[in-house]
Amino acid sequence: MFDIQREEIEWGGRPLILETGKVARQADGAVMASYGESKVLATVVSAKQPKPGFDFFPLTVNYQEKAFAAGKIPGGFFKREGRPSENETLVSRLIDRPIRPLFAEGYKNETQVIITVLSHDLENNPDILAMVAASAALTLSGVPFMGPIGGARVGYVDGEYVLNPMTDDMPDSKLDLIVAGTADAVLMVESEAQELTEEVMLGAVMFGHTHFQPVIDAIIRLAEKAAKEPRDHVVPSHDELFAKVKEIAEADLAAAFLIADKIERSNKVSAAKDKVMAGLIVEGDANAPDKNVVSDLFKKLEASIVRGRILNEGARIDGRDLKTVRPIVSEVGILPRAHGSALFTRGETQGLVVATLGTGDDEQFVDALTGTYKERFMLHYNFPPYSVGETGRMGSPGRREIGHGKLAWRAVHPMLPAHHDFPYTLRVVSEITESNGSSSMATVCGTSLSLMDAGVPLTRPVAGIAMGLVLEGDKFAVLSDILGDEDHLGDMDFKVAGTSEGVTALQMDIKIAGITEEIMKVALGQAQEGRLHILGEMGKALGEARTELGEFAPRIEVIKIAVDKIREVIGSGGKVIREIVEKTGAKIDIADDGTIKVASSDGKAIQAAINWINSIAAEPEVGMIYDGTVVKTVDFGAFVNFFGAKDGLVHISQLAPQKVAKTTDVVKEGDKVKVKLMGFDDRGKVRLSMKVVDQETGEEIKQDA
């Protein structure tokens, strides 16, 4: 019944198994992949005919994690998987980016890749396995995919690269890098690092590329046994039509790309395109060329003009040379009520970035297959349509927004202070107010500035820069701080973020069949120069974190109580802790180990809450002087409330230095007094003294020897 084909290799110390022919047989391609005890199913379906009206390749990649894969039942009311989590969205992008450039030119058939996590052993992250399975399924499907690709995760522990480190190994690694590519070249890199050098980062990329070659070989062997017949796909030739487009628009476009201002240049380019459309598209003419084809050819002409000038003249659209970074203006503290704010402007790209400090109550709960955990640093990136002078949909963040936000998060995260040193929850929001290239790197710079403006003690400021590439044959040019048009018309988007000491994040996407080690080395070196320049410009606004928190930021004080006192501080059903919060106005977070964080923007509220908690959980110390209130007078002395709910007796002989005939001659109920804890009697009763304390100053009266 089943025609099962299988390949197995030893990879990174664990077996990698690729199997097809048993599950999802009606898909164009389906592969069940296992690594350790993690298992994913990847399927590919591509329409038999191109969808009319598409001027782009309609590829969709969906990575989905099923709760049953880790033996869990989903949370929430409906108890079933809902909208994709942030991790699922990021892994979908991770797989989409290296496979998209490898489909044949002109292929416009709607294509869907679905990868489902069926088993998670909590040791092997399924993202790399999902990428490998998707590559294998595409290779078997018969669609015009110029793969296969391989992928690997690279760690860096004790100065050594580690292939596909397990989940428990990652805390010891200074690097979390994912690399994907073909047998010949690298296509995609995504990473977070702890200030590693450019040389170490490049070595990690090449280490991963070398070590996923056995995976590519295994996919090829499986394809030799089980691949479907390749689909017929002829790359259409439009040489004659392209010549007409060139004749109509070349001069206008060449002039337009000499204009530095984005808006004016865009208007000239739009006018040239309208001229082409008017000249070639005749309404009602059955022989008129397809609008989408003409649009593609117009873009091809744009690319040839821009790329030719860069390669042959070293001249860019806005007149810069290859290495110059656009003018930068950094400003901080621009929003009076925000805890920290920054406006970072680089050329025609601008980000308004705002930092907010919160308490433990504000931490994000993340329900992952590996378990629920709390996230104390959140970075949200928004790209409203007005930033590029357009109208558009406003709603929940799309894949691009989530991806750009995560890239900036990875860049800044290694520089955050340890939680025990700075016990705040941090949320950063980046509103892109203008965009003409690399708004994600503007977000990195703005995030660093806004956090330092809020008083967050970053280890060092972080900056980011986007690099581009134009490659024709053996000739190439690497561009620093690329414009939007250079991104669209170029071959690479290479983003590097880091400090003055090293790289903290690296992301690379290639739109061609891959790039070599030589090109990456040049790009990393040029990016380092640009990053150091940007850090210098940022330093003109703020070079290090402010020593004081913003006026409106909450203050957090941390105290520790005995674990056996936690129950008393919380009270039955939370009654006591609720009363403390309501009466003092402070926020209180209690950990299982007895650590208590008390937060408020009002220092008096914090102290009042701490005093209240101490009155419940702490024990008074012998020899200490306390403020107290007389609660009762009797013939033999006065009872004083001096430590929360604790009362003690001041014997009549301890009321004053002189002899006292009657207690009420010295104190009355309600009087505020200062007492010293002398100790405890045989029955554990508290013994207090007033006569050894100066009632005016609270200082102890020294007794003559």
Side-chain angles (χ1 to χ4, degrees), residues 182-201:
T182 61
D184 302 318
V186 173
L187 283 165
M188 186 275 299
V189 178
E190 184 80 50
S191 67
E192 178 183 341
Q194 294 179 18
E195 292 186 298
L196 298 179
T197 65
E198 280 73 11
E199 291 75 17
V200 171
M201 296 299 291

Side-chain angles (χ1 to χ4, degrees), residues 624-640:
M624 293 294 291
I625 294 173
Y626 297 96
D627 291 325
T629 303
V630 178
V631 293
K632 187 179 181 181
T633 59
V634 291
D635 292 342
F636 53 86
F639 288 96
V640 175

Side-chain angles (χ1 to χ4, degrees), residues 49-88:
Q49 299 295 328
K51 197 165 184 177
F54 273 48
D55 60 351
F56 62 93
F57 173 38
L59 170 68
T60 305
V61 177
N62 296 105
Y63 167 86
Q64 52 187 8
E65 296 176 336
K66 298 298 183 181
F68 60 70
K72 298 175 62 177
I73 294 175
F77 181 78
F78 294 104
K79 298 298 178 186
R80 68 176 297 164
E81 291 80 6
R83 59 178 296 176
S85 67
E86 180 178 285
N87 183 63
E88 288 172 313

Side-chain angles (χ1 to χ4, degrees), residues 270-319:
S270 295
K273 186 173 183 178
D274 291 342
K275 186 177 177 182
V276 168
M277 292 297 183
L280 296 177
I281 307 297
V282 180
E283 291 295 333
D285 184 356
N287 296 319
D290 183 87
K291 288 182 180 180
N292 291 327
V293 173
V294 175
S295 181
D296 286 345
L297 294 176
F298 183 82
K299 184 176 180 181
K300 180 181 175 182
L301 179 60
E302 286 185 84
S304 68
I305 292 171
V306 171
R307 294 162 67 91
R309 288 188 66 217
I310 290 171
L311 286 174
N312 300 324
E313 304 171 29
R316 297 168 64 175
I317 295 173
D318 58 358

Side-chain angles (χ1 to χ4, degrees), residues 270-518:
S270 295
K273 186 173 183 178
D274 291 342
K275 186 177 177 182
V276 168
M277 292 297 183
L280 296 177
I281 307 297
V282 180
E283 291 295 333
D285 184 356
N287 296 319
D290 183 87
K291 288 182 180 180
N292 291 327
V293 173
V294 175
S295 181
D296 286 345
L297 294 176
F298 183 82
K299 184 176 180 181
K300 180 181 175 182
L301 179 60
E302 286 185 84
S304 68
I305 292 171
V306 171
R307 294 162 67 91
R309 288 188 66 217
I310 290 171
L311 286 174
N312 300 324
E313 304 171 29
R316 297 168 64 175
I317 295 173
D318 58 358
R320 285 181 292 153
D321 62 23
L322 302 183
K323 294 185 177 182
T324 299
V325 176
R326 288 171 289 174
I328 292 172
V329 177
S330 300
E331 303 169 68
V332 295
I334 63 171
L335 301 179
R337 299 288 297 194
H339 299 164
S341 59
L343 184 68
F344 180 83
T345 309
R346 186 191 59 244
E348 296 166 311
T349 296
Q350 184 181 77
L352 174 61
V353 188
V354 185
T356 306
L357 277 58
T359 66
D361 289 344
D362 300 308
E363 291 178 333
Q364 181 183 15
F365 282 83
V366 181
D367 188 14
L369 284 185
T370 51
T372 300
Y373 64 93
K374 293 180 179 180
E375 179 57 65
R376 74 178 187 98
F377 175 43
M378 295 158 279
L379 198 157
H380 299 144
Y381 166 101
N382 298 312
F383 192 86
Y386 67 76
S387 64
V388 288
E390 297 177 357
T391 60
R393 182 187 68 88
M394 294 290 289
S396 56
R399 289 188 174 191
R400 181 180 181 277
E401 284 82 359
I402 292 172
H404 279 28
K406 189 64 175 181
L407 173 58
W409 185 96
R410 290 190 179 106
V412 177
H413 181 249
M415 293 297 100
L416 293 178
H419 192 43
H420 57 77
D421 293 329
F422 193 75
Y424 289 85
T425 298
L426 306 173
R427 182 187 184 228
V428 174
V429 178
S430 174
E431 296 287 337
I432 301 304
T433 50
E434 295 181 31
S435 180
N436 186 13
S438 192
S439 56
S440 63
M441 295 296 95
T443 296
V444 171
C445 300
T447 296
S448 179
L449 288 169
S450 68
L451 286 171
M452 292 192 298
D453 183 50
V456 180
L458 296 182
T459 306
R460 270 173 288 278
V462 185
I465 186 170
M467 313 297 293
L469 172 71
V470 175
L471 175 64
E472 297 286 353
D474 294 330
K475 196 173 183 181
F476 72 88
V478 175
L479 316 178
S480 294
D481 181 25
I482 55 175
L483 301 172
D485 286 337
E486 291 170 338
D487 184 5
H488 302 147
L489 304 176
D491 299 318
M492 176 181 76
D493 186 7
F494 190 87
K495 296 170 181 172
V496 187
T499 69
S500 58
E501 302 301 310
V503 175
T504 56
L506 179 66
Q507 184 184 85
M508 183 179 73
D509 290 304
I510 305 299
K511 303 170 188 175
I512 51 179
I515 64 170
T516 63
E517 181 178 2
E518 178 194 1

Side-chain angles (χ1 to χ4, degrees), residues 23 70 88 115 126 138 172 264 343 347 371 388 398 480 484 521 608 649 664:
V23 180
E88 288 172 313
I115 310 100
L138 282 165
D172 299 323
E264 186 180 351
L343 184 68
V388 288
S480 294
K521 188 173 183 178
L649 174 67
T664 52

